[in-house]
Amino acid sequence: MEQNNSLPPFPQGLASPQGAMTPGLPIFSPMMPYGTGLTPQPVQNTNSLSLLEEQQRHGMVGGSGQTPQLYHSQVSTTTALPGNTPLYTTPLTPMTPITPATPASESSGIVPQLQNIVSTVNLGCKLDLKTIALRARNAEYNPKRFAAVIMRIREPRTTALIFSSGKMVCTGAKSEEQSRLAARKYARVVQKLGFPAKFLDFKIQNMVGSCDVKFPIRLEGLVLTHQQFSSYEPELFPGLIYRMIKPRIVLLIFVSGKVVLTGAKVRGEIYEAFENIYPILKGFRKTT
Amino acid sequence: MASTSRGDSLPKVQCPNHPDAILVEDYRAGDMICPECGLVVGDRVIDVGSEWRTFTNEKETKDPSRVGDAQNPLLNGGDLTTMISKGTGAASFDEFGNSKYQNRRTMSSSDRAMLNAFKEISTMADRINLPRNIIDQTNNLFKQVYEQKSLKGRSNDAIASACLYIACRQEGVPRTFKEICAVSRISKKEIGRCFKLILKALETSVDLITTSDFMSRFCSNLGLPKQVQMAATYIARKAVELDLVPGRSPISVAAAAIYMASQASAEKKTQKEIGDITGVADVTIRQSYRLIYPRAVNLFPPDFKFDTPVDKLPQL
């Protein structure tokens, strides 16, 4: 029965631990960090993909490995929208989707916290950086050093780089909503200075999260077994750099048990990556 | 037999009966003989040694060699060009005294950068007295990286330095990045970057460094006797086993172990001296020493002769 839930769809090269199922979102964590209306499992079934899932579950016995993967990917896309209030629909099948994972590996119960979000937006008009720097508060502009105005606002505490082409980079926010809000505030500042600023193509480019697994890790063991993904050079950097393929996230793993995850475009990728790495890290826990 | 295959080794002839036997060259008759059965495997072998022995102080006499430099088939594109040298007679100079035929450039323009890099590698390796096999390995690595062209934008010197670092690692005698920095003009940061890129490009990996890899070199540079070196190796290994120094670079742990061992023996070395040799900062040695000091009693080898007893070791 165990075998059914092992990972045939994951080829050898991927970061998933062998034999263990990678769960989706932390199923058993009591609270989600955002989007209060988001109940865990049944949410995802509202999409059309859920019917496909149910069909697969009915039809295929050996292919049940397929389901969790769909499930998995489903998790990463829907959780990115905190604004939606999801409907609670109970699936009518006897097999509920609540535990696709094998009982052997439960979720970690740890949720990575987002530390930084980098986003870009196009204000849609050419800007005169000199006037912006002179008239705006908290703006610095040193064309010899860097060709953009560096503006800061206190709430949400962020920094923006505003270029003369009208494009802007906003960094330092702790959540997607905050990043968007901050970008809008910067756009309004520019607008008030007299430029016809718009808010085009807001896109989150990078998200950084961090968490603590609360036990020390044997990095030497990890680099031996996961050579293709890990790079551990104590002379260059004290942490192990793990480049996960799916999702494409870079993790910095330290001896103390702290983990930094970066390179995500959506929040779900960070969670997914952490859930992938957690069982691997548990296997390399220091015993002393 | 004469054609060079695409492989990176010289053409191999083997005895058909004993493929593993190393053939003995009989230069007088030009034969390659199998030592096991006496079979003459290759006859009339062309002698690829140098024609004349040239001494560097003989600058006046012209070089009588008619065959040029030794062939380097592994690394060049099979350089079999012919050069025309400067003329000697009166007819070869025109009215101003310039030589009429000037064609000594563009010997091997495609490999010029590679030859330059080999020269640089040789210079760097010579500064730290690396043996020939490491230099060869470095040249091979550089050739592979250069042909792949994935690191084309990077400075050739940086790639050469990184190849040198990798070759030392692969041969089991790693040098620290700082040691390679000392013989190269490239910064540690750039060498580190190229190192990671090369590993990715060649799809190889290297073993993790351990404290014992550096002990013999550091201790002999400091002039410490064998007993102290063995004690320091033991201390460092024990410290890592007991996990007294989590997250510390193996070099720093090695430096602290050397400090402890030398302070317990008759040959006491200061932290500054050890820092100079190992490239570890003074404060880092102090930090690592503070971590291993509490368990000093357990760290020394059982048969160590203490000049200074453990409780009198300096406590920083």
Side-chain angles (χ1 to χ4, degrees):
Chain A
M1 211 44 204
E2 270 274 319
Q3 264 321 95
N4 266 349
N5 288 340
S6 63
L7 303 172
F10 285 96
Q12 183 59 31
L14 291 187
S16 309
Q18 293 164 352
M21 178 57 70
T22 54
L25 272 184
I27 316 170
F28 303 113
S29 64
M31 52 186 182
M32 306 298 284
Y34 64 98
T36 50
L38 199 64
T39 52
Q41 293 315 306
V43 176
Q44 288 79 27
N45 290 329
T46 56
N47 290 349
S48 57
L49 211 52
S50 67
L51 294 173
L52 191 64
E53 259 178 49
E54 284 163 22
Q55 271 174 12
Q56 277 188 327
R57 230 177 293 121
H58 281 305
M60 301 198 266
V61 177
S64 65
Q66 199 54 252
T67 322
Q69 186 175 7
L70 273 176
Y71 203 86
H72 215 261
S73 56
Q74 199 50 31
V75 167
S76 54
T77 48
T78 50
T79 53
L81 310 165
N84 291 350
T85 43
L87 300 167
Y88 189 103
T89 59
T90 47
L92 300 171
T93 59
M95 275 163 61
T96 59
I98 297 220
T99 52
T102 57
S105 74
E106 59 208 36
S107 78
S108 56
I110 306 172
V111 179
Q113 297 303 312
L114 290 181
Q115 303 292 349
N116 184 24
I117 313 249
V118 176
S119 57
T120 53
V121 73
N122 187 1
L123 301 177
C125 64
K126 293 266 174 289
L127 304 173
D128 181 15
L129 297 185
K130 207 146 167 234
T131 31
I132 296 179
L134 285 170
R135 293 170 55 197
R137 270 172 275 178
N138 299 323
E140 60 185 76
Y141 178 47
N142 194 348
K144 281 190 295 222
R145 200 156 56 109
F146 191 57
V149 166
I150 302 164
M151 199 184 291
R152 295 185 170 87
I153 57 174
R154 269 185 228 101
E155 177 56 46
R157 183 172 286 277
T158 50
T159 305
L161 306 172
I162 307 173
F163 294 84
S164 55
S165 59
K167 297 221 172 109
M168 182 171 77
V169 180
C170 172
T171 61
K174 298 278 191 208
S175 85
E176 303 91 321
E177 267 312 303
Q178 281 188 7
S179 189
R180 197 187 176 89
L181 179 64
R184 286 209 109 96
K185 286 192 179 177
Y186 287 113
R188 174 145 68 244
V189 168
V190 169
Q191 199 177 54
K192 284 209 174 135
L193 290 176
F195 298 95
K198 300 183 265 303
F199 200 75
L200 309 169
D201 308 322
F202 174 80
K203 183 173 181 223
I204 290 180
Q205 302 289 356
N206 187 26
M207 299 172 78
V208 181
S210 71
C211 56
D212 187 2
V213 300
K214 305 271 195 305
F215 54 79
I217 305 171
R218 278 185 297 119
L219 299 181
E220 312 80 40
L222 183 54
V223 76
L224 274 173
T225 44
H226 290 77
Q227 238 164 24
Q228 322 97 290
F229 314 108
S230 325
S231 157
Y232 177 45
E233 283 300 320
E235 276 189 274
L236 295 177
F237 188 63
L240 188 151
I241 301 169
Y242 193 103
R243 294 180 189 271
M244 200 177 278
I245 314 249
K246 177 186 182 328
R248 209 165 77 88
I249 300 279
V250 175
L251 299 91
L252 305 175
I253 304 167
F254 295 89
V255 180
S256 56
K258 301 259 191 341
V259 180
V260 173
L261 308 95
T262 183
K265 287 277 194 288
V266 289
R267 187 187 280 253
E269 284 175 3
I270 300 237
Y271 295 152
E272 195 186 334
F274 182 69
E275 290 305 320
N276 283 348
I277 201 81
Y278 188 72
I280 302 173
L281 295 181
K282 272 207 291 198
F284 289 102
R285 187 184 187 137
K286 274 199 188 157
T287 45
T288 48
Chain B
M1 185 194 75
S3 63
T4 316
S5 59
R6 264 187 327 119
D8 59 346
S9 58
L10 286 163
K12 269 202 189 125
V13 289
Q14 295 167 348
C15 171
N17 303 325
H18 307 100
D20 291 329
I22 300 172
L23 299 176
V24 172
E25 218 180 83
D26 177 12
Y27 59 91
R28 260 187 266 190
D31 296 340
M32 303 271 280
I33 305 171
C34 168
E36 310 268 331
C37 58
L39 182 71
V40 174
V41 181
D43 59 343
R44 300 207 200 89
V45 171
I46 298 172
D47 182 6
V48 295
S50 61
E51 188 183 7
W52 299 95
R53 294 194 300 167
T54 49
F55 298 101
T56 46
N57 52 0
E58 291 181 22
K59 273 284 190 271
E60 309 82 17
T61 59
K62 286 180 288 198
D63 184 9
S65 169
R66 291 166 290 182
V67 298
D69 280 341
Q71 194 188 20
N72 204 348
L74 308 169
L75 305 174
N76 284 356
D79 191 23
L80 297 168
T81 57
T82 303
M83 288 187 311
I84 300 173
S85 62
K86 288 171 72 113
T88 48
S92 62
F93 293 97
D94 58 14
E95 55 265 24
F96 298 107
N98 305 325
S99 48
K100 271 188 188 167
Y101 190 74
Q102 300 140 331
N103 182 22
R104 284 182 63 244
R105 296 136 227 242
T106 64
M107 248 179 40
S108 54
S109 51
S110 62
D111 295 324
R112 187 164 294 278
M114 213 153 79
L115 278 173
N116 226 352
F118 293 158
K119 189 156 167 289
E120 191 62 38
I121 289 171
S122 181
T123 316
M124 284 196 295
D126 186 54
R127 290 195 188 115
I128 40 178
N129 301 319
L130 288 174
R132 187 73 227 168
N133 65 334
I134 293 189
I135 300 178
D136 289 338
Q137 174 73 332
T138 309
N139 286 346
N140 270 328
L141 284 170
F142 186 88
K143 182 182 189 214
Q144 284 176 38
V145 169
Y146 190 74
E147 284 176 349
Q148 236 205 31
K149 294 198 194 304
S150 48
L151 276 84
K152 198 167 186 199
R154 300 266 167 193
S155 151
N156 270 341
D157 281 345
I159 300 182
S161 308
C163 286
L164 189 60
Y165 178 81
I166 296 175
C168 292
R169 258 298 190 114
Q170 285 180 338
E171 295 293 319
V173 285
R175 299 293 189 273
T176 61
F177 276 108
K178 292 192 175 165
E179 287 176 307
I180 303 285
C181 264
V183 299
S184 163
R185 62 177 182 90
I186 310 290
S187 68
K188 178 173 180 248
K189 201 165 157 187
E190 186 58 28
I191 300 182
R193 273 202 210 119
C194 288
F195 164 73
K196 286 190 217 161
L197 287 171
I198 293 174
L199 284 186
K200 196 146 180 218
L202 300 182
E203 289 183 1
T204 41
S205 64
V206 286
D207 287 333
L208 206 50
I209 50 175
T210 58
T211 50
S212 45
D213 293 333
F214 306 96
M215 277 304 172
S216 64
R217 203 163 359 108
F218 290 160
C219 290
S220 54
N221 283 346
L222 285 162
L224 293 170
K226 190 92 172 74
Q227 282 303 326
V228 180
Q229 178 187 322
M230 284 168 52
T233 314
Y234 188 87
I235 292 173
R237 206 187 67 223
K238 266 295 202 206
V240 173
E241 271 173 28
L242 298 173
D243 198 30
L244 303 172
V245 284
R248 296 266 158 201
S249 166
I251 321 283
S252 317
V253 177
I258 294 176
Y259 180 69
M260 187 178 263
S262 77
Q263 288 292 326
S265 74
E267 302 266 338
K268 294 184 179 16
K269 299 287 173 192
T270 61
Q271 287 181 346
K272 193 168 177 324
E273 287 175 331
I274 299 178
D276 271 338
I277 299 285
T278 58
V280 182
D282 222 11
V283 286
T284 312
I285 304 182
R286 211 172 297 153
Q287 293 278 40
S288 303
Y289 181 77
R290 279 200 196 115
L291 289 170
I292 61 175
Y293 180 74
R295 303 283 299 269
V297 191
N298 310 76
L299 296 177
F300 275 96
D303 53 350
F304 185 70
K305 291 188 178 39
F306 286 89
D307 192 75
T308 314
V310 186
D311 43 346
K312 297 256 184 342
L313 279 175
Q315 188 183 13
L316 326 124

